[in-house]
Amino acid sequence: ELYQALDCEGGGGRTQIKFRLLRSVQLGGLVNEIETLPGRTTSQRDALVLLSESAQVSVIEYDPGADNAVDGFRTTSLHSFADHDAMTLARNESRARRRLRCDPQGRLCAMLFYSDFLALMPTREHNLDELFQADMAESAKAGEKNAQVPAAANRLNRGGDVISLLEVCKLSYVRDICFLHGYNEPVLCLLHESGSPQSASRGPTWSGRLRDAKDTCGIKAFSINTTHKRYPKLMEKSNLPYDAFAVKGVPGVGGKCLVLCSDYILLLDHRTMSAVAVNRFAYPGFACEIPMDKMDEPRGGDQQHSMNVLQARKNAYLVIPEVVSEVSKIAQNESAMMLDLNDCKLTWLECFKQKEGGGFGRVHGLLSLKSGQLVHFTVRIDSGSVRTSTASKVFEFKSCGSSSVPSCISVLSDTLVFLGSRLGNSALLRCRVTSSGSAKASSKNLVEEEGSLAQEVMDKSAVGEGNEEDELEKALFTSEVATDHDALVLTVCDRLSNLGPILDMATMSTDSSKKEDVAVAACVGHGKHGAIAILSQTWRYDKLLQVDLNDIKFLQTVHSFKGDEKDRLSEEYFHAYLVLSTSDSTMVLETKEELELITERMSFVTNFPTICAGNLLRKTRIVQVYKEGVRVMRGSEVEKDVGCKDLCEGQQSEIVDACVCDPYILFLLGDGTLGLLEGSADEKGRVVVNLGSERRRNVTCMSVVENRGGYFGASESHLAILCDASGGLEVISLPRLSSVFRSSAVHEGFKRLEEATSMKVEDGGDQRGEASLCVAQIDCQADRLTKELWVSFLLSDGFLYVYRLDQCQRTRGFFFSRVNILNEFLLVSEASSRVQRKMVRLENVNGHYGYFITGDNPYVVFVGQGQVRVYSASKDGPVTSITGFHNVNCNHGFVFATENGQVNVCNLNARFSSKFSWCAEVKHVGSTVHKITYSAETRVLAALVSKVIPYRKRKPEEGGGDAHATNVYAAQEAAVAAEAREESFEVQLISAETLEVLWSHALAPAEIGLSISSVYIKNQTDESMSSIIAVGTATPRGEDYPCRGNVYLFKIEKQDIPNAELGQPRVKWGGSLVSTKDFRGAPGGGGVHVVSCLDGYLLVGIGIKVLLFKWNGEYPPATPPGYPDIPQLEQCGFFDSTLFTSSLATVKKFVLSGDSMRGIHFLRWLDQGNDSRKVLQLLSHDFSKPPIHHVQFLIDGSTLTIMGVDMFGNIRTYAFDPSDPDSFKGKKLLGRSVFYSGSRVSRVGRITAKAPSDSPAATVSHRIGVCLSTYDASLGMLFPLDETTFKRLQSLQNKLITSVIQVAGLNPHKFRQAKYADTAPGEAQGSEKILDGSVVWKYLQLTTEEQNDMARLIGSRRETVLKNLRALSRSMF
């Protein structure tokens, strides 16, 4: 995605900076790194260098006006290193870390891979002579033609040198690279961990062996001469701290670099080094004071045990001198700040250059810590050498607020900084430098000013994240500590919404009567960004009122102004009337606190259906358009009637369509004639309606928009967009109806609609024959923030094309570019629709703007800030009409009518967000939601949530145990006590409708929740089945202490609400603990990682074991005296896995057990009613033994397919076929395919495919697939397909890969091949048996001609391919 920081008009005429999405492109691979390659000549553009997962480097430029651009991007060069020997070695190694860096002057690009190999790729003009020659050539061309010259491509030279750092530079284990500033040739600095020559053991070290090797890192800088292939060494420093992780070149200062460590920041050049210590762990001694009085005294042991406990507590935060780096001896002491620099992000600020007059006495930077804290730091660069002493203060730090947990940070301009976050929302920050005296006052004013500008949008669009947004808005402030230097003030301009990683998810039903209408309840984010999100492809809203009214074909709300001018222009002014139209009449409802039918008291024409209604003269007049004419009213009084005879100029015709946009009324007659009425007021305040003299012929549809952005260079206040029967497009200005833009063949769906200068049009219409496809509806609207013009075309076959107005920078000409809709598969509607398809504009529906498309399969389209989001709206069946609605009881809502005779008044709740490709309701909880499940019987969500609470005392350890275990136990307790807070886990019951917490149960101190599941268990005492929430926990204490696990069973039941208010519910869902069982010691002890159910029994996975329990109820029957009591959970079966049970899946009496390192085991439960015959029998297992993290079943009628997902994200499918000789009589699972999902999978849930038809005979689906969630905030679905459809779509997929140009040259087929997979001999490991949906759905983004050609290449027809895609989309969504 490519965004632009754009200046927009805010409230009160002030300017605000907002994000605008320029392009969103689906790439054919995963991009690991992205860098900017600066242009080196006056006409060159900056380019983007992409490093893909397959070690391919792509250079692309954003040039939407270029003829060879694909989706606005053109690829200038491609470089692949996938076949290099180093990549072959690194393919299955954890050291396959890759880094991409570009020279600040655009001369060279360097790629590091496998930590020991470096690829150097010079640019086309990488030396001064070539730069001067290119500039002179471009100047000569521009002088000869006296015109602008197309920009030369910014690209890298072919080939590139790959050098072995171990052989050439004598170093290895490179952690980071950077380019240094101020040299005539590119100078590359490498941060490595090759060990110190003085140390006894060279190579990497870790915290466990710091006594032997602690300062193992170093840096080396080399000058790069690619012409002669020489790399002279310019700088070398060794004995740097072992935890150094990043190196940054200091801008504007030649030869200096900054090295970031966990506890230090180092400034180095070829002669000197300075350092600063930022926390107490950088010096020997006690880093933190231990509150011994908050912990209980040791008990139950001898005196030696008590002494060991006290000593372990005291030394919990002791830093011994042997592990402290030698850098501490010269480091500037700033340890009181207690900054943890581990994984922090750094960028250099440019806003101080103007304040300091361009000098380089000080260099300013912004640190973003992993806690979200923002720190402004200053490095003083003297004119002479920097001395290695602490006498002069080189570094200065000052906290300047808090933000989202960072994943990247970048400077966009002198005053703008982008703070990207993977866990929360990314932020666009404005930097401002103020003097020390006015820093405090200006920071408060600036935050309030910027906040008020942004709040108008954020309160409405960034929903579900109010707590986080308020925290970020209040936390970005300047420190009030007095200083002699200028202060940095940060304000939030805009944010990019982000769900964050999906930690877990559960499928849930959105309609109790339709089990196939499902949504996904997901645990997203982490820490303060944690939230619960309900994700669905269906538009979700709250119904406020439902009225039975049959045959409603049209709805429209209108204003009737009677107040002040200020109230008239306000969006908060309520609607006065709701106009409803049936097939042959019109009704009017008054929209006060209650809807009241007042048709008899109004002057509307009621014996004809209303075609259009609206307001004129700043909401003081009401306009009704019907087929016989136009009526203008003031309240209930008629002011003007214009008959159809006056509009038709004596011809026999009727009005078939109209648009009202103050002060114009645009009407369309049945013969295709377009006319215009203009409303005004005379001297006495009476309305005057003038009929325009100009007409347009052969028009099929039209739309009107305000000319807010001066589109096409027109100065008129309004523009109209017209389409004719042959697909011609024309933009005219009102009221003269003069043409400002023309194009042809809109129905073909071209990527660009350019002005057709040679198009001959008579009377405003193309006289060519009518095409088989035509534009049935058109809608245009201008973005209220960015002023972008959006035009949408609804074709006669149900397709929707969305275009955005762009301008070529070279020719200054205007053109429309087609926008790729991510949810375009929802737009695959049938060619015919029983309910008429209409595009109805929606404005300010709880802060959302877009339009609604009625019909048999309705959907809604939201447009804003460059984004287009499409959601299905078929929840209530076919929709005949819709309109926005705003009154005292429905704040900026909407009203829609359905085919079954219902009118619904609805509103979007505050949690609704249209910023994602799936419709989302986000509830920010401010803590981490680890696991979630859904109880279908009670429609309640159960989640495992961890949050920070005050410290709770632990139970003292009993004496007599191992000394190492005692030290671990005591040290952990002391560390938590020193923090004065701890992370506590609890089980929460959450309402699926409101996402409010209904009930919670806190776990014991140090106990963490690992698994949760809604299970059906049989009570062996009374033979009843119960819906139970099963929770698995663990209490880990480290390697030297045995882990203890527990299983808790909770029953959801209704509970009374004490002191309930009048009119409020008196009961709510709550939980009660009915059973518990602990697991300690070995064998069979440890954390309970998986819980499930099997045929009425409880199935749990604990370490290596799979255990099966029967439940004897909360109160088991009593036993005779002398016999042991019957436990609540009694073990009745087990199976020993190979290493570690990571996941379980069941269907009927079959079990899949996934092992985290040793593949899949396929089991069967044998239960013949006899205790001696109850056993978990191993049927088959995977011989290749991949590291499986998730397992599930795929069901297609009577065919059962086994699916597993390994730790790398590869989706593997297997078959159990004892009749196949290769299966060794069924003992081996036969691998069928391996398909790379693109990311690590966090959860796999089973989901039932929707029935292929809505008829009663096809209401049951026999296909069950899976829904996958990943840690990269993405969802995927996998369903079985019939063989005919699969082969046709597979041929289509192959043609799309080979025939369609891929942006950045990334190959989707290679991307989906298995990653880090060891192929067993004779086993199929390809991805040919799984379709890639991201490729198949691109068929809808082709033009109509390209779709016909593509279908012809695979021996099919376009209609047949679309039929298969329609069936596929219906089954999934």
Side-chain angles (χ1 to χ4, degrees):
E1 291 184 342
L2 182 64
Y3 288 89
Q4 178 187 13
L6 191 66
D7 291 336
C8 306
E9 294 183 4
R14 293 174 295 184
T15 301
Q16 52 182 326
I17 302 177
K18 294 295 177 184
F19 276 122
R20 172 196 174 196
L21 178 63
L22 293 179
R23 285 293 186 275
S24 179
V25 181
Q26 179 74 35
L27 298 178
L30 187 64
V31 176
N32 288 342
E33 293 274 353
I34 182 170
E35 287 285 332
T36 301
L37 182 64
R40 296 161 303 285
T41 64
T42 55
S43 62
Q44 262 189 353
R45 302 169 182 265
D46 289 350
L48 295 177
V49 184
L50 310 180
L51 174 60
S52 68
E53 193 178 31
S54 58
Q56 175 178 315
V57 177
S58 306
V59 184
I60 61 174
E61 288 183 351
Y62 176 67
D63 189 4
D67 296 334
N68 58 348
V70 180
D71 291 329
F73 295 95
R74 60 174 179 172
T75 304
T76 60
S77 63
L78 293 175
H79 312 267
S80 179
F81 300 92
D83 297 331
H84 194 271
D85 294 340
M87 286 304 303
T88 305
L89 294 173
R91 192 160 290 141
N92 293 321
E93 295 287 339
S94 61
R95 292 172 60 195
R97 178 189 304 169
R98 289 182 281 272
R99 292 287 186 268
L100 180 69
R101 296 293 183 267
C102 290
D103 178 44
Q105 300 182 26
R107 299 166 294 184
L108 183 69
C109 181
M111 184 187 73
L112 172 73
F113 53 94
Y114 194 41
S115 299
D116 293 340
F117 292 87
L118 187 68
L120 302 176
M121 296 163 286
T123 54
R124 184 179 181 181
E125 308 90 0
H126 60 278
N127 56 51
L128 294 178
D129 293 337
E130 293 179 348
L131 285 173
F132 289 148
Q133 292 175 6
D135 275 335
M136 292 175 62
E138 292 171 2
S139 301
K141 291 180 181 179
E144 293 174 1
K145 300 180 181 180
N146 195 19
Q148 293 186 359
V149 179
N154 190 355
R155 62 188 181 187
L156 302 174
N157 272 350
R158 291 184 178 180
D161 297 332
V162 178
I163 62 175
S164 173
L165 296 176
L166 186 60
E167 296 178 359
V168 178
C169 304
K170 308 303 179 183
L171 56 87
S172 60
Y173 299 99
V174 178
R175 293 186 174 182
D176 196 14
I177 59 176
C178 76
F179 282 94
L180 300 184
H181 298 253
Y183 290 95
N184 293 332
E185 288 186 339
V187 175
L188 188 64
C189 183
L190 299 93
L191 174 64
H192 60 94
E193 192 183 10
S194 300
S196 172
Q198 292 80 15
S199 61
S201 176
R202 301 192 57 170
T205 187
W206 58 93
S207 57
R209 61 185 295 264
L210 290 181
R211 293 176 182 268
D212 299 327
K214 56 184 178 181
D215 294 331
T216 56
C217 287
I219 62 170
K220 286 186 181 181
F222 299 89
S223 179
I224 308 298
N225 189 324
T226 56
T227 303
H228 302 286
K229 299 184 183 301
R230 296 176 181 175
Y231 316 108
K233 182 174 64 174
L234 300 184
M235 177 176 61
E236 180 178 7
K237 294 289 183 181
S238 59
N239 295 329
L240 303 186
Y242 81 101
D243 54 0
F245 60 90
V247 58
K248 301 287 184 181
V250 180
V253 182
K256 292 188 180 296
C257 64
L258 206 70
V259 178
L260 299 178
C261 311
S262 298
D263 308 323
Y264 305 94
I265 297 179
L266 312 177
L267 179 65
L268 306 100
D269 60 11
H270 66 285
R271 291 184 297 179
T272 59
M273 178 176 67
S274 295
V276 58
V278 296
N279 57 52
R280 295 190 181 97
F281 292 97
Y283 296 101
F286 292 97
C288 184
E289 183 179 356
I290 306 298
M292 305 293 290
D293 55 336
K294 291 185 178 181
M295 295 174 283
D296 291 337
E297 293 294 331
R299 61 185 181 185
D302 54 11
Q303 185 177 1
Q304 185 63 36
H305 170 74
S306 300
M307 292 177 61
N308 291 340
V309 171
L310 295 176
Q311 189 67 23
R313 292 176 177 178
K314 182 180 179 181
N315 297 334
Y317 277 109
L318 176 63
V319 180
I320 60 177
E322 290 83 354
V323 302
V324 176
S325 173
E326 296 296 329
V327 176
S328 62
K329 298 178 181 180
I330 63 169
Q332 175 184 324
N333 191 349
E334 297 288 346
S335 60
M337 297 194 65
M338 288 301 292
L339 302 180
D340 184 8
L341 300 182
N342 189 25
D343 203 23
C344 71
K345 306 301 176 183
L346 164 68
T347 188
W348 302 106
L349 300 177
E350 300 180 3
C351 56
F352 286 85
K353 289 185 178 180
Q354 298 178 356
K355 194 75 176 178
E356 296 177 355
F360 299 102
R362 294 179 181 273
V363 180
H364 300 265
L366 185 65
L367 276 172
S368 182
L369 308 184
K370 65 179 182 180
S371 62
Q373 182 181 359
L374 296 177
V375 179
H376 169 218
F377 78 97
T378 305
V379 181
R380 190 177 67 181
I381 307 296
D382 296 333
S383 57
S385 300
V386 179
R387 297 183 300 272
T388 57
S389 67
T390 58
S392 59
K393 199 171 184 180
V394 179
F395 300 90
E396 294 181 5
F397 297 88
K398 184 169 56 176
S399 178
C400 55
S402 178
S403 66
S404 303
V405 177
S407 59
C408 63
I409 187 170
S410 178
V411 173
L412 305 184
S413 67
D414 292 347
T415 58
L416 293 179
V417 174
F418 175 72
L419 184 63
S421 177
R422 182 174 176 265
L423 299 180
N425 291 343
S426 301
L428 178 63
L429 307 180
R430 173 181 288 175
C431 306
R432 182 180 176 184
V433 182
T434 59
S435 60
S436 58
S438 59
K440 179 178 177 180
S442 63
S443 63
K444 292 183 178 180
N445 296 336
L446 203 65
V447 169
E448 293 176 0
E449 176 185 353
E450 198 78 23
S452 63
L453 293 176
Q455 200 66 30
E456 179 183 358
V457 180
M458 283 183 277
D459 287 346
K460 300 173 183 178
S461 62
V463 295
E465 302 149 0
N467 296 337
E468 178 186 349
E469 305 298 347
D470 294 341
E471 176 189 354
L472 186 57
E473 198 71 43
K474 295 177 182 179
L476 285 169
F477 59 92
T478 300
S479 175
E480 301 177 5
V481 180
T483 177
D484 297 334
H485 309 292
D486 297 325
L488 176 66
V489 178
L490 298 176
T491 53
V492 181
C493 298
D494 200 4
R495 297 177 179 87
L496 295 181
S497 299
N498 174 34
L499 283 177
I502 301 179
L503 305 180
D504 193 22
M505 65 92 184
T507 56
M508 54 177 285
S509 175
T510 58
D511 190 348
S512 58
S513 60
K514 299 179 180 180
K515 295 183 178 180
E516 296 175 350
D517 293 338
V518 298
V520 174
C523 311
V524 298
H526 181 80
K528 64 179 182 180
H529 305 295
I532 295 177
I534 306 298
L535 306 175
S536 173
Q537 284 287 5
T538 304
W539 190 19
R540 295 169 59 87
Y541 45 81
D542 297 333
K543 286 186 180 180
L544 306 180
L545 179 65
Q546 184 172 323
V547 181
D548 292 333
L549 291 175
N550 295 321
D551 194 30
I552 301 298
K553 305 296 183 182
F554 173 79
L555 291 171
Q556 182 64 54
T557 51
V558 294
H559 296 275
S560 182
F561 171 71
K562 299 178 182 179
D564 298 334
E565 177 76 14
K566 181 178 179 181
D567 297 333
R568 182 197 312 175
L569 301 179
S570 173
E571 290 187 357
E572 298 300 326
Y573 186 68
F574 296 146
H575 288 112
Y577 307 107
L578 174 62
V579 182
L580 303 92
S581 177
T582 63
S583 301
D584 54 4
S585 63
T586 296
M587 298 181 292
V588 182
L589 297 178
E590 190 175 22
T591 59
K592 292 184 178 180
E593 292 187 3
E594 296 182 357
L595 298 180
E596 180 182 359
L597 184 64
I598 58 169
T599 306
E600 302 297 332
R601 295 185 307 208
M602 299 298 293
S603 301
F604 283 80
V605 178
T606 59
N607 56 343
F608 290 105
T610 300
I611 297 176
C612 181
N615 289 103
L616 286 182
L617 304 182
R618 298 188 176 185
K619 304 179 183 179
T620 60
R621 304 298 193 273
I622 302 174
V623 179
Q624 180 192 14
V625 183
Y626 56 101
K627 67 178 183 178
E628 295 292 337
V630 178
R631 172 167 292 185
V632 182
M633 297 162 283
R634 183 166 189 171
S636 59
E637 300 178 357
V638 179
E639 282 199 346
K640 189 69 175 181
D641 267 323
V642 182
C644 195
K645 294 183 179 180
D646 299 331
L647 302 177
C648 300
E649 297 179 346
Q651 300 180 2
Q652 295 294 328
S653 185
E654 295 180 346
I655 300 176
V656 295
D657 197 6
C659 289
V660 178
C661 189
D662 191 14
Y664 302 109
I665 305 173
L666 209 63
F667 60 89
L668 181 64
L669 302 180
D671 58 357
T673 302
L674 178 74
L676 177 70
L677 292 173
E678 183 178 0
S680 60
D682 58 12
E683 298 177 353
K684 297 182 179 181
R686 294 175 297 186
V687 67
V688 177
V689 179
N690 300 317
L691 179 62
S693 58
E694 299 292 333
R695 294 295 176 99
R696 281 289 187 271
R697 309 291 181 184
N698 195 27
V699 178
T700 58
C701 56
M702 48 48 176
S703 183
V704 183
V705 66
E706 293 186 30
N707 189 11
R708 297 179 180 179
Y711 312 119
F712 307 101
S715 58
E716 289 80 2
S717 61
H718 289 74
L719 299 175
I721 289 92
L722 316 177
C723 280
D724 57 31
S726 61
L729 169 69
E730 185 177 11
V731 182
I732 61 175
S733 61
L734 305 181
R736 295 183 299 170
L737 303 187
S738 58
S739 179
V740 297
F741 181 85
R742 291 176 180 175
S743 187
S744 60
V746 175
H747 59 276
E748 291 291 340
F750 294 117
K751 290 294 184 180
R752 293 172 58 178
L753 297 179
E754 297 181 342
E755 188 166 6
T757 55
S758 61
M759 179 181 175
K760 296 182 179 180
V761 181
E762 297 180 1
D763 294 332
D766 195 346
Q767 300 300 322
R768 294 175 296 175
E770 185 173 324
S772 58
L773 288 178
C774 63
V775 180
Q777 292 282 326
I778 187 173
D779 179 84
C780 60
Q781 50 186 287
D783 193 287
R784 65 191 187 99
L785 281 177
T786 62
K787 309 303 180 185
E788 287 180 304
L789 181 62
W790 296 87
V791 181
S792 303
F793 305 98
L794 181 64
L795 302 188
S796 56
D797 64 349
F799 269 83
L800 179 72
Y801 296 144
V802 181
Y803 287 86
R804 175 174 52 193
L805 182 64
D806 284 331
Q807 185 177 15
C808 182
Q809 297 298 325
R810 291 193 299 269
T811 63
R812 310 304 297 176
F814 290 91
F815 63 92
F816 288 99
S817 58
R818 183 177 167 186
V819 179
N820 295 329
I821 305 175
L822 296 178
N823 309 50
E824 199 156 4
F825 47 84
L826 290 176
L827 310 183
V828 188
S829 303
E830 295 288 351
S832 60
S833 176
R834 292 182 293 104
V835 178
Q836 181 184 3
R837 294 193 183 103
K838 296 183 294 184
M839 301 180 69
V840 182
R841 189 176 303 177
L842 297 177
E843 295 185 353
N844 195 14
V845 177
N846 200 14
H848 301 273
Y849 293 78
Y851 50 89
F852 191 95
I853 298 180
T854 64
D856 293 345
N857 297 302
Y859 52 89
V860 61
V861 181
F862 291 114
V863 178
Q865 293 185 244
Q867 293 183 340
V868 181
R869 301 300 188 193
V870 185
Y871 307 119
S872 173
S874 57
K875 178 180 178 180
D876 290 285
V879 175
T880 58
S881 183
I882 189 173
T883 183
F885 181 64
H886 178 50
N887 79 341
V888 64
N889 293 323
C890 181
N891 185 23
H892 295 294
F894 57 94
V895 181
F896 70 92
T898 60
E899 187 187 27
N900 57 7
Q902 293 180 345
V903 176
N904 301 277
V905 180
C906 307
N907 201 349
L908 300 178
N909 58 51
R911 302 183 303 273
F912 176 82
S913 176
S914 61
K915 296 296 183 180
F916 311 106
S917 57
W918 282 39
C919 179
E921 288 187 31
V922 184
K923 175 67 173 180
H924 180 76
V925 298
S927 53
T928 306
V929 186
H930 297 269
K931 299 290 182 179
I932 196 168
T933 188
Y934 176 70
S935 175
E937 288 188 350
T938 59
R939 296 180 61 83
V940 170
L941 296 170
L944 280 172
V945 183
S946 67
K947 56 184 180 181
V948 178
I949 64 173
Y951 165 73
R952 296 177 295 176
K953 290 185 178 180
R954 267 68 169 161
K955 179 181 178 181
E957 185 195 22
E958 300 293 338
D962 182 69
H964 294 285
T966 300
N967 290 337
V968 171
Y969 192 100
Q972 284 188 358
E973 181 182 11
V976 176
E979 294 289 338
R981 56 181 185 175
E982 63 175 302
E983 187 176 17
S984 172
F985 279 75
E986 64 181 22
V987 182
Q988 292 184 356
L989 298 183
I990 303 169
S991 172
E993 288 78 16
T994 63
L995 298 183
E996 296 180 353
V997 179
L998 305 175
W999 176 85
S1000 63
H1001 172 82
L1003 301 183
E1007 187 176 15
I1008 62 175
L1010 297 178
S1011 57
I1012 188 170
S1013 179
S1014 177
V1015 297
Y1016 289 91
I1017 302 179
K1018 182 179 180 181
N1019 190 335
Q1020 302 294 332
T1021 302
D1022 56 10
E1023 301 295 325
S1024 64
M1025 295 293 294
S1026 301
S1027 177
I1028 299 293
I1029 301 297
V1031 178
T1033 69
T1035 308
R1037 299 287 186 182
E1039 297 179 355
D1040 297 316
Y1041 205 91
C1043 180
R1044 176 180 177 180
N1046 284 279
V1047 167
Y1048 300 98
L1049 300 184
F1050 298 93
K1051 181 177 290 186
I1052 303 178
E1053 55 191 7
K1054 289 189 175 182
Q1055 299 177 351
D1056 295 333
I1057 301 177
N1059 303 323
E1061 297 181 0
L1062 184 63
Q1064 298 296 325
R1066 296 185 177 275
V1067 293
K1068 68 172 183 178
W1069 291 108
S1072 61
L1073 180 62
V1074 295
S1075 295
T1076 179
K1077 181 175 180 60
D1078 63 334
F1079 301 89
R1080 66 178 73 184
V1088 182
H1089 289 82
V1090 192
V1091 289
S1092 184
C1093 62
L1094 172 66
D1095 195 27
Y1097 296 90
L1098 180 65
L1099 190 68
V1100 300
I1102 306 174
I1104 195 175
K1105 290 186 173 295
V1106 178
L1107 304 179
L1108 195 67
F1109 293 89
K1110 62 180 181 180
W1111 185 47
N1112 295 316
E1114 186 177 2
Y1115 303 102
T1119 58
Y1123 287 85
D1125 295 336
I1126 298 177
Q1128 294 178 332
L1129 288 174
E1130 184 177 358
Q1131 182 177 338
C1132 58
F1134 74 95
F1135 171 76
D1136 286 342
S1137 182
T1138 308
L1139 187 63
F1140 185 84
T1141 304
S1142 58
S1143 56
L1144 295 171
T1146 61
V1147 58
K1148 294 186 177 180
K1149 293 191 176 184
F1150 295 100
V1151 181
L1152 277 182
S1153 173
D1155 195 288
S1156 62
M1157 295 302 294
R1158 306 295 287 178
I1160 298 177
H1161 297 87
F1162 185 35
L1163 313 175
R1164 178 175 59 178
W1165 170 239
L1166 298 178
D1167 183 6
Q1168 299 181 0
N1170 189 342
D1171 290 342
S1172 61
R1173 295 295 301 165
K1174 293 182 178 181
V1175 64
L1176 281 172
Q1177 180 187 14
L1178 175 64
L1179 296 179
S1180 181
H1181 68 279
D1182 181 12
F1183 280 22
S1184 60
K1185 299 179 180 179
I1188 297 296
H1189 281 192
H1190 307 277
V1191 291
Q1192 198 51 263
F1193 290 100
L1194 297 175
I1195 302 175
D1196 186 9
S1198 59
T1199 303
L1200 189 68
T1201 302
I1202 296 173
M1203 190 204 75
V1205 182
D1206 61 25
M1207 64 182 298
F1208 306 108
N1210 299 314
I1211 302 174
R1212 300 170 178 267
T1213 59
Y1214 300 87
F1216 175 67
D1217 188 5
S1219 61
D1220 194 317
D1222 295 335
S1223 67
F1224 302 108
K1225 298 183 179 181
K1227 295 182 179 179
K1228 176 184 177 182
L1229 290 176
L1230 301 176
R1232 296 306 186 193
S1233 63
V1234 182
F1235 184 84
Y1236 182 53
S1237 64
S1239 177
R1240 287 185 57 203
V1241 176
S1242 60
R1243 181 72 171 183
V1244 177
R1246 204 150 53 208
I1247 185 173
T1248 303
K1250 291 185 178 181
S1253 175
D1254 295 333
S1255 61
T1259 55
V1260 179
S1261 175
H1262 298 284
R1263 290 191 301 154
I1264 298 179
V1266 296
C1267 180
L1268 304 93
S1269 63
T1270 71
Y1271 290 105
D1272 287 337
S1274 59
L1275 293 172
M1277 290 188 176
L1278 185 65
F1279 282 94
L1281 283 178
D1282 62 273
E1283 187 175 1
T1284 303
T1285 303
F1286 173 80
K1287 288 183 177 180
R1288 181 179 296 114
L1289 294 182
Q1290 185 185 40
S1291 300
L1292 176 65
Q1293 172 183 296
N1294 296 334
K1295 291 298 180 182
L1296 287 171
I1297 293 176
T1298 57
S1299 302
V1300 177
I1301 300 176
Q1302 305 293 333
V1303 179
L1306 300 180
N1307 188 353
H1309 177 71
K1310 186 175 182 179
F1311 170 65
R1312 294 301 183 182
Q1313 292 179 353
K1315 301 296 187 296
Y1316 310 105
D1318 295 330
T1319 305
E1323 185 176 1
Q1325 293 288 349
S1327 59
E1328 290 77 13
K1329 294 188 177 182
I1330 299 181
L1331 293 178
D1332 187 357
S1334 61
V1335 176
V1336 174
W1337 293 117
K1338 286 185 178 181
Y1339 181 78
L1340 303 178
Q1341 300 176 4
L1342 303 177
T1343 64
T1344 304
E1345 182 180 359
E1346 291 172 342
Q1347 289 178 357
N1348 288 322
D1349 294 341
M1350 195 68 64
R1352 195 179 304 112
L1353 288 175
I1354 64 174
S1356 183
R1357 299 170 58 247
R1358 175 177 178 266
E1359 293 75 13
T1360 305
V1361 175
L1362 293 180
K1363 181 180 179 181
N1364 293 144
L1365 294 179
R1366 290 189 184 105
L1368 187 60
S1369 64
R1370 287 197 201 98
S1371 64
M1372 292 191 300
F1373 306 101

